[in-house]
Amino acid sequence: MKNYILLCLTVISVFSIDSYSQQSKINSADKKYDDYAYINAIKIYERVAEKGYKSEDMFKKLGNSYYFNSNFEGAAKWYGELFAMTTNLEPEYYHRYSQSLKSTGQIEKANKIMEEFNSKYKEDNRNRLYEENVNYLDKIKENSGRYTIENAGINSKYSDYGTFVHNNKVYFASARDTGNFSQRKHKWTGEHFTNLYQADVDSVKVMKIKNALNTKFHESTPVFTKDNKTVYFTRNNYVTGKKGKDANKTTLIKIYKATLENNKWTNVTPLSIDSDNYSTAHPALSPDEKTLYFASDMPGTSGQSDLYKVAINDNGDFGIPENLGKSINTEGKETFPFVTNENEIYFASDGYPGLGGLDVFVGEIGKDGVINNIQNLGADINSPKDDFAYIIDPVSRKGYFSSNKDGGQGSDDIYKFLETKRLKCIQELNGVITDAETMEILPGTKVTLFNNQMEIKDTVLADASGSYIFPVECGKTYSVRAEKTDYTTREVTVTIEKSTGKTNLSIALDKSTCKVTVGDDLGKCFGIKMIYFDLDKSNIRTEAALDLEKILAVLNDNPTMKLDIRSHTDSRATFKYNEALSDRRAKSTIEWLIKNGVNKNRLTGRGYGETELVNKCADDVPCTEAEHQENRRSEFIITAL
């Protein structure tokens, strides 16, 4: 595990660990656990537990070992033992225990654990993330299978990580042998300090950079400007040939800048955003090179490290660092940012639901700078170990990432990949606005898009063809409102597909003023196709009364209007039965209107049974239910005005 690059795990000389001096089975298991050799650790811990030995620390590690291997039954067992001992635990144990219980079908118990968490850690941002990503393992599975991955061919038996591609060369940090006479090693990891190396893309020949960028201490994660005149990189707090230390005698890390003069890197200086009291690391430039993104544990950080950005002024100076906020940062660790010209930010985090250790995620940078739609890249890139330092060319979809997952050559290795399927789901919501009766297109209609919180996302006017288009997020629910003079405003809810494509939502508007004359069906003004009665009966139902209230209101507003009320059936019964039933229903409708104040001289009507079918569905003709429905109708024909 690359402790020396994860921001708050800095060079602390007092932590010197001899991996060959373990004194007991517990210590042996701890070492295997810390090395992420989970399966071996499980065997040793379980042997100790079987003898009746109980330890909060041991149960944590047993539960974690199963959890990080997606063995949720085993994880639930040992987390259960842990919670039986104490509930005074860190938030992540509530999350992991609850997820393990859910995965084994113990939903009620899982909900109880989350209720306890909610009451104890109300302000923890991971609580919100968990609630929004309850089925995160399914989502990770859905996001997998999109890459071809291979060893980059530039790895050693030591730690290699943190790539940047520039001028057809790949730059990276490596802890490989730093010299025959002075082989300085990190007291914590036992490995050589990292320096910067380079290789031609698609070449396995590696060369150490022999210039002022490298020192006898750590350097890593370089990023070059497009004109090749400036480089930013991470280095120990190294001043005038010595390591700088804070008040606790800890050597922190800083971002340095160098400029190219006469083909030599010179003027190596720390940035103004650096400090002797906190770390800054892993710089990344925005596509326009006007903003520097980085990771830090400076004051105001939510967790172990947060992602920040700072403006690069025209004179080369820097503005005030800005925390990217809770839309991306958690109480865990966010680090190794990388920003593309598609307004995407890739980063590593252990604060989001993932597979274990650091996982790589991607988020969308909104116009307001807020990061949204954060997704796990899937199990191709991510593993139960640490996966980080992801970079990608948005055009070729080729890139690199670093990991200490099983099967590598060293403690960290660099992998290259080709993304064969985009994760980003691109959806377009479109439609045509028409007149509900005539189907005439309605250009100029105001169309407004709302999210599921009824917040306005966008507004457009339908074009000359009556069409509108909105870019939308996959899997989200929206409401679309269409408004036009002389028409009744209509709002329709739509859920967007979860895969790239187009979603069509055409909207038909009813006229707000209905112009009628003698011979027209008044019911069409209100979309009344049928007055509903109970089966084989003629009493007025509640929903029928609602439609008749509309007819009543028009008759009251137009005292000289007269109506002929006609009731029709389909052909599925005897001719005589249909005629009698429809006649009773027409008369019941008339009686209801008279009862509610309409003069009987203004109303006529009768039942027509199946004598005026509007389609082919006569006796013994096979028809669908929808076709039969067309014949079952009520009409309110205007006979006088």
Side-chain angles (χ1 to χ4, degrees):
M1 181 177 181
K2 59 208 148 304
N3 295 321
Y4 50 86
I5 61 170
L6 297 184
L7 214 34
C8 54
L9 300 179
T10 52
V11 185
I12 306 174
S13 60
V14 297
F15 289 108
S16 179
I17 299 175
D18 181 357
S19 62
Y20 300 100
S21 62
Q22 305 304 322
Q23 300 298 314
S24 67
K25 290 182 178 180
I26 292 294
N27 290 340
S28 175
D30 284 347
K31 179 61 172 67
K32 288 181 172 60
Y33 177 87
D34 291 338
D35 287 342
Y36 281 17
Y38 296 119
I39 300 301
N40 291 335
I42 289 174
K43 293 177 181 178
I44 297 173
Y45 283 132
E46 286 191 323
R47 284 196 216 117
V48 175
E50 287 169 1
K51 293 181 178 181
Y53 183 85
K54 294 187 178 182
S55 161
E56 180 181 326
D57 182 65
M58 183 179 68
F59 288 148
K60 283 181 178 179
K61 290 176 177 176
L62 263 174
N64 289 346
S65 295
Y66 276 109
Y67 183 85
F68 294 151
N69 281 282
S70 300
N71 186 331
F72 298 111
E73 186 174 349
K77 173 185 175 181
W78 294 112
Y79 286 144
E81 294 286 349
L82 174 64
F83 274 74
M85 290 187 68
T86 179
T87 55
N88 186 24
L89 295 163
E90 296 89 343
E92 51 263 37
Y93 288 98
Y94 284 86
H95 286 300
R96 294 171 188 169
Y97 188 27
S98 176
Q99 185 64 28
S100 299
L101 290 168
K102 284 187 176 181
S103 297
T104 56
Q106 302 177 69
I107 306 300
E108 186 175 343
K109 192 172 182 179
N111 291 339
K112 183 179 179 181
I113 294 298
M114 285 309 299
E115 288 172 5
E116 292 178 16
F117 172 80
N118 291 338
S119 64
K120 292 184 69 173
Y121 300 103
K122 295 180 180 179
E123 303 303 320
D124 195 304
N125 193 40
R126 287 172 291 184
N127 181 23
R128 175 184 62 82
L129 292 173
Y130 181 83
E131 291 178 348
E132 293 177 356
N133 299 277
V134 175
N135 299 316
Y136 73 91
L137 291 174
D138 292 337
K139 185 61 177 178
I140 290 175
K141 183 177 180 180
E142 180 182 324
N143 290 349
S144 302
R146 303 181 301 104
Y147 292 88
T148 58
I149 297 173
E150 60 181 306
N151 188 298
I154 54 177
N155 293 304
S156 68
K157 63 181 181 179
Y158 301 100
S159 181
D160 304 281
Y161 68 93
T163 51
F164 184 80
V165 177
H166 178 64
N167 287 345
N168 208 38
K169 294 183 182 295
V170 57
Y171 296 83
F172 63 98
S174 177
R176 64 191 66 195
D177 195 342
T178 58
N180 294 324
F181 300 104
S182 177
Q183 296 183 353
R184 299 181 59 83
K185 292 186 177 182
H186 192 299
K187 291 183 179 180
W188 192 343
T189 65
E191 290 193 354
H192 299 293
F193 284 85
T194 60
N195 281 152
L196 300 179
Y197 289 76
Q198 70 180 44
D200 290 337
V201 173
D202 296 327
S203 171
V204 296
K205 185 178 180 180
V206 174
M207 297 178 59
K208 183 181 177 182
I209 297 175
K210 296 181 179 180
N211 55 41
L213 299 185
N214 280 328
T215 66
K216 58 186 178 181
F217 297 113
H218 277 307
E219 283 84 25
S220 68
T221 54
V223 54
F224 297 83
T225 55
K226 296 172 185 175
D227 61 9
N228 199 40
K229 293 182 179 180
T230 305
V231 61
Y232 302 92
F233 62 99
T234 305
R235 175 189 280 178
N236 285 123
N237 185 1
Y238 180 67
V239 183
T240 62
K242 296 182 179 180
K243 290 184 293 182
K245 298 181 179 181
D246 67 4
N248 297 319
K249 297 184 178 181
T250 300
T251 298
L252 303 178
I253 48 180
K254 294 182 177 181
I255 298 174
Y256 287 75
K257 174 184 177 181
T259 56
L260 190 68
E261 296 182 6
N262 298 321
N263 290 322
K264 292 184 178 180
W265 290 108
T266 185
N267 301 321
V268 180
T269 56
L271 304 189
S272 61
I273 62 174
D274 293 334
S275 171
D276 290 338
N277 299 313
Y278 56 79
S279 288
T280 55
H282 313 316
L285 285 168
S286 62
D288 62 6
E289 299 187 344
K290 294 182 179 180
T291 303
L292 186 75
Y293 291 81
F294 62 98
S296 178
D297 60 353
M298 66 175 60
T301 298
S302 300
Q304 295 181 49
S305 66
D306 279 4
L307 297 180
Y308 288 80
K309 67 178 179 180
V310 63
I312 303 174
N313 300 326
D314 293 338
N315 62 2
D317 291 338
F318 294 86
I320 299 174
E322 179 183 344
N323 190 300
L324 294 190
K326 290 187 176 181
S327 64
I328 186 171
N329 291 315
T330 71
E331 286 81 357
K333 181 187 303 172
E334 280 70 49
T335 186
F336 290 98
F338 180 75
V339 179
T340 73
N341 58 8
E342 295 182 335
N343 293 320
E344 293 178 322
I345 179 168
Y346 293 87
F347 63 100
S349 173
D350 63 6
Y352 290 81
L355 295 178
L358 290 171
D359 274 17
V360 181
F361 296 83
V362 61
E364 296 178 7
I365 305 174
K367 294 179 181 179
D368 55 0
V370 175
I371 314 298
N372 54 69
N373 194 28
I374 292 174
Q375 296 193 62
N376 187 296
L377 290 192
D380 306 307
I381 299 296
N382 294 316
S383 71
K385 303 294 184 69
D386 282 324
D387 311 286
F388 57 101
Y390 179 102
I391 65 170
I392 187 171
D393 177 359
V395 177
S396 69
R397 309 310 294 177
K398 293 181 179 180
Y400 296 86
F401 73 99
S402 305
S403 177
N404 65 346
K405 63 183 177 179
D406 296 337
Q409 291 178 235
S411 57
D412 295 302
D413 287 290
I414 297 169
Y415 296 85
K416 61 182 179 180
F417 64 79
L418 170 65
E419 186 186 48
T420 57
K421 178 183 177 183
R422 296 290 297 265
L423 172 63
K424 187 176 183 179
C425 180
I426 302 172
Q427 266 281 347
E428 175 187 285
L429 176 61
N430 61 53
V432 178
I433 311 300
T434 59
D435 182 297
E437 184 176 0
T438 66
M439 298 307 295
E440 176 187 359
I441 61 172
L442 299 177
T445 301
K446 179 182 177 182
V447 188
T448 306
L449 179 72
F450 297 85
N451 63 15
N452 61 355
Q453 302 297 317
M454 292 311 294
E455 299 168 332
I456 295 177
K457 302 300 292 182
D458 202 356
T459 299
V460 298
L461 295 178
D463 62 19
S465 63
S467 300
Y468 72 90
I469 296 174
F470 291 118
V472 290
E473 293 183 37
C474 301
K476 299 287 186 179
T477 298
Y478 295 89
S479 292
V480 179
R481 181 182 297 168
E483 304 170 76
K484 188 171 180 62
T485 303
D486 295 331
Y487 285 85
T488 300
T489 297
R490 188 179 175 197
E491 192 171 279
V492 182
T493 299
V494 60
T495 299
I496 306 302
E497 293 291 332
K498 294 183 178 180
S499 57
T500 296
K502 298 181 180 181
T503 300
N504 181 268
L505 180 67
S506 294
I507 300 175
L509 298 182
D510 293 314
K511 287 186 176 179
S512 56
T513 55
C514 185
K515 298 178 181 179
V516 294
T517 188
V518 173
D520 289 342
D521 182 358
L522 181 60
K524 289 184 178 180
C525 282
F526 307 104
I528 302 173
K529 296 180 180 179
M530 181 176 179
I531 296 297
Y532 288 90
F533 300 84
D534 288 329
L535 184 63
D536 293 336
K537 296 182 179 179
S538 56
N539 54 299
I540 301 296
R541 287 167 53 174
T542 302
E543 54 266 47
L546 178 61
D547 280 336
L548 288 178
E549 285 286 356
K550 301 171 187 176
I551 301 297
L552 177 63
V554 174
L555 289 172
N556 289 336
D557 289 341
N558 298 272
T560 59
M561 179 182 288
K562 295 183 178 181
L563 297 178
D564 183 47
I565 298 168
R566 304 172 184 179
S567 178
H568 303 268
T569 69
D570 59 36
S571 62
R572 295 181 298 179
T574 66
F575 182 92
K576 185 176 181 181
Y577 176 84
N578 285 334
E579 185 177 42
L581 177 62
S582 62
D583 194 59
R584 290 198 307 273
R585 289 178 170 177
K587 290 178 178 177
S588 292
T589 302
I590 293 172
E591 289 171 3
W592 188 94
L593 290 169
I594 293 173
K595 182 180 178 181
N596 284 274
V598 179
N599 191 304
K600 64 180 181 180
N601 294 330
R602 301 173 61 191
L603 303 171
T604 58
R606 71 180 183 87
Y608 289 80
E610 56 183 278
T611 61
E612 295 187 359
L613 300 176
V614 296
N615 56 30
K616 64 178 182 179
C617 299
D619 290 339
D620 300 323
V621 176
C623 285
T624 65
E625 181 59 36
E627 289 172 324
H628 284 302
Q629 177 65 61
E630 292 176 7
N631 291 315
R632 298 195 303 273
R633 65 197 190 279
S634 299
E635 297 174 319
F636 299 85
I637 306 302
I638 300 171
T639 58
L641 284 173

